[in-house]
Structures are given as C-alpha cells and as structure tokens.
Amino acid sequence: MSSKLERLSQMLQEVFGDTLQSLVVDRGEVTIEVAAADYLRVAAVLRDNQDLHFEQLLDVSGLDYSTYGNGGWTGRRFASAAHLMSIRHNWRLRLRVFAEDDGFPVLDSLCDLWASANWFEREAFDLYGIMYAGHPDLRRILTDYGFVGHPFRKDFPISGYVEMRYDPEQGRVVYQPVSIEPRENTPRIVREESYGDVGHG
C-alpha cells in the first residue's frame, strides 16, 4: 500500500473511529462503509474537514447485492456508493452505504452537499428503485414516464414486462405484454460424438 493511501486510511480512522463499519484498501482504492443513519453526517465531514477535503463528488451509483457471490450474500440487498475526490490532496474515496429496508430502500440525498449528486441519484432511483430522502426532484431520468419496475435490479426480467409499438389504426404508440419467448442466453456447443477422434473426418 502506498504511503498516500496509508495516510488517508489512518486519517479516516482517526476522524470517524467506530462510525466506520469497514475500511478496505484494495487495488489502490479506499472504500469505507457506514450505516445509513450516519451517511449524511459522514459525507459532510468528508467534504468540510480540511485534512480530508473531498470537495468533488464524481459519481453516485446504485448496487443490488441480491445475487452477489452466486447468491451466497446474506447482507442487505441495496446500496449506494458515492465516489469522491480531493483535488487539494489528490486522493479518491468510495463511500458505500446499505439501505436498511430491502423492500423499500431509502437513503439520504447528498444533493445539499454536492449539487452534482442530483442526476446520479435520479439514475440510481430509476434503475434500482433506491429513494433518496431530501432530493429536490426525484423522478425517472432514463426510462419512460409509464415504466413499471427498475431494470437494473437483478430480478428484473431481461425482456422486460411490456413492449411498445406504433399502432397505425390508433395513430399512436401502444404498450402490450412482451411477445418475446424466454430463451437460453448461454451459448451451447453441439459437436458430433466422435469429434476430435484420431482419423475422424
């Protein structure tokens, strides 16, 4: 581990102590995890503490752990990861938080701390169904107005629930149940029984 990452890790432990549920340094990246109740407060300290000074939010992404480790995951299902950068100190950090309720995941919005969180949180809401409390305009950003469900959830069907087409008789776009037959997406290799035998072919 580089001295810069060691210094950042030590500083994070000193500033947050037991508030950190985990601190992992892997592949040159630092990831900290906090409880949902501490998320907003920790984010504010990360931004305002002069020794840390993460003045820039690069991204907020949603995560669905339902099939993580081939279904061996026993923790909470939905998480949000904020990717932060300190230009002053030239270091980066991933701040991850899990929503308490898998059925209705809610986390605090970071929009009041970093304005750039706005559309990232809208995207995570749209694709994963994570609600961000305090967001100024939480609505879908990528899917259609009448879209049902959240397409990046692991249990969302690949073909979706509905399809749309233009109906010339009605003179408009209509929605209808999906007509695509479910299919196997894993490539199959079919070979003759004697394929590769000496003297074959």
Side-chain angles (χ1 to χ4, degrees), residues 49-80:
N49 182 301
Q50 293 305 302
D51 292 329
L52 297 169
H53 204 265
F54 287 96
E55 71 270 35
Q56 188 170 6
L57 180 138
L58 303 172
D59 186 25
V60 177
S61 56
L63 302 156
D64 180 356
Y65 281 83
S66 64
T67 59
Y68 184 72
N70 292 323
W73 178 256
T74 57
R76 292 189 174 94
R77 178 175 177 180
F78 295 104
S80 189

Side-chain angles (χ1 to χ4, degrees), residues 45-116:
V45 172
L46 288 169
R47 185 193 68 177
D48 298 335
N49 182 301
Q50 293 305 302
D51 292 329
L52 297 169
H53 204 265
F54 287 96
E55 71 270 35
Q56 188 170 6
L57 180 138
L58 303 172
D59 186 25
V60 177
S61 56
L63 302 156
D64 180 356
Y65 281 83
S66 64
T67 59
Y68 184 72
N70 292 323
W73 178 256
T74 57
R76 292 189 174 94
R77 178 175 177 180
F78 295 104
S80 189
H83 301 88
L84 308 173
M85 181 175 185
S86 171
I87 297 169
R88 175 184 295 177
H89 300 298
N90 190 27
W91 52 35
R92 294 170 184 249
L93 176 70
R94 180 182 299 110
L95 169 62
R96 184 174 56 212
V97 58
F98 280 88
E100 296 290 327
D101 184 356
D102 290 346
F104 189 69
V106 180
L107 296 168
D108 288 318
S109 172
L110 299 179
C111 285
D112 287 344
L113 298 175
W114 295 281
S116 60

Side-chain angles (χ1 to χ4, degrees), residues 164-184:
M164 63 182 195
R165 65 175 177 82
Y166 180 76
D167 188 320
E169 292 177 10
Q170 297 183 46
R172 65 182 180 92
V173 171
V174 295
Y175 290 87
Q176 61 191 36
V178 174
S179 61
I180 300 170
E181 292 293 323
R183 64 177 187 225
E184 181 68 41

